[in-house]
Amino acid sequence: KQEVTQIPAALSVPEGENLVLNCSFTDSAIYNLQWFRQDPGKGLTSLLLIQSSQREQTSGRLNASLDKSSGRSTLYIAASQPGDSATYLCAARDSGGSNYKLTFGKGTLLTVNP
Amino acid sequence: SAVISQKPSRDICQRGTSLTIQCQVDSQVTMMFWYRQQPGQSLTLIATANQGSEATYESGFVIDKFPISRPNLTFSTLTVSNMSPEDSSIYLCSVVSLNTEAFFGQGTRLTVV
């Protein structure tokens, strides 16, 4: 059974700092991995999707990497802004028979202070 | 990408009652997914809704408690039945694009009192 862990659970940084959020998964046979942002009490916004054959994806100030062999992914946020404050979730998609199934981590609560 | 409209966005309900949550997608999709996010927890898949067939429920979730309808390829409903305070959660519907990117609605925040 896939398990996804995110470290740290919470992170507080000053505006302008570069930061890294970590995601680990126990079963390396994933189809892809996706990073989301969730604002309080709201739904999820897709940030980046990395297919199992890819090593990284970039979108603006965000860069996500994937190392399947070690079961790790990182989300790098450059020049953080107060508007980046949210919970960041990673989710691994199984590559087995139920290849649509996503397993989520508990998220990292990011606070960017002005 | 897919645009998903979910309603209501929030509700406060009495225990013992039922609430039906609606999910509308702006394009036709084969599968729609319903998730629950309990306070302080991550997302847990409740069931997968396929058009024209019964929903497939995950372990720990049953049809009597969470009946699902899927009348066409753009719409689904999830009902939370006979609610108790333990059902207080955010409920989210989701679809998957052709490249298996997942998209979510804005969620329904349910409080049972």
Side-chain angles (χ1 to χ4, degrees):
Chain A
K1 179 185 173 185
Q2 180 74 271
E3 293 182 2
V4 177
T5 303
Q6 291 188 246
I7 295 173
L11 181 64
S12 181
V13 301
E15 182 177 3
E17 191 162 299
N18 302 325
L19 57 101
V20 174
L21 307 181
N22 297 291
C23 172
S24 61
F25 45 95
T26 55
D27 186 350
S28 63
I30 62 171
Y31 192 80
N32 57 37
L33 187 136
Q34 195 167 354
W35 283 91
F36 298 89
R37 168 188 173 134
Q38 185 176 32
D39 293 295
K42 302 295 185 181
L44 277 63
T45 300
S46 178
L47 297 175
L48 288 164
L49 171 71
I50 310 178
Q51 303 293 351
S52 61
S53 59
Q54 298 175 321
R55 294 299 301 268
E56 65 179 303
Q57 282 287 333
T58 298
S59 176
R61 294 183 293 110
L62 306 179
N63 177 277
S65 68
L66 176 64
D67 185 341
K68 275 184 57 178
S69 60
S70 66
R72 294 181 182 177
S73 177
T74 62
L75 180 67
Y76 174 84
I77 302 177
S80 58
Q81 303 171 357
D84 294 331
S85 298
T87 296
Y88 290 80
L89 296 161
C90 70
R93 184 177 300 282
D94 294 344
S95 62
S98 58
N99 66 356
Y100 56 81
K101 189 167 184 176
L102 278 174
T103 303
F104 283 84
K106 291 188 175 181
T108 293
L109 176 61
L110 173 66
T111 302
V112 181
N113 301 300
Chain B
S1 66
V3 177
I4 303 171
S5 300
Q6 193 174 329
K7 58 181 180 181
S9 59
R10 59 172 58 212
D11 207 341
I12 301 174
C13 300
Q14 297 291 323
R15 65 178 68 198
T17 63
S18 297
L19 175 71
T20 296
I21 302 167
Q22 298 180 4
C23 181
Q24 178 78 49
V25 188
D26 67 343
S27 58
Q28 293 184 340
V29 292
T30 304
M31 292 188 289
M32 295 177 74
F33 305 91
W34 288 99
Y35 287 84
R36 180 176 74 180
Q37 186 180 30
Q38 295 177 300
Q41 301 299 312
S42 193
L43 279 75
T44 302
L45 181 65
I46 297 172
T48 303
N50 299 304
Q51 196 269 334
S53 64
E54 283 205 2
T56 303
Y57 289 83
E58 297 298 309
S59 176
F61 298 96
V62 295
I63 188 171
D64 290 346
K65 177 67 175 177
F66 297 102
I68 288 172
S69 78
R70 184 78 200 277
N72 57 53
L73 291 173
T74 63
F75 187 79
S76 179
T77 67
L78 169 76
T79 299
V80 186
S81 303
N82 188 24
M83 290 184 285
S84 66
E86 291 72 34
D87 293 320
S88 297
S89 298
I90 299 174
Y91 292 85
L92 301 112
C93 69
S94 173
V95 301
V96 176
S97 68
L98 288 175
N99 69 342
T100 68
E101 183 172 5
F103 297 95
F104 284 80
Q106 67 269 40
T108 296
R109 190 167 199 169
L110 171 62
T111 303
V112 183
V113 298

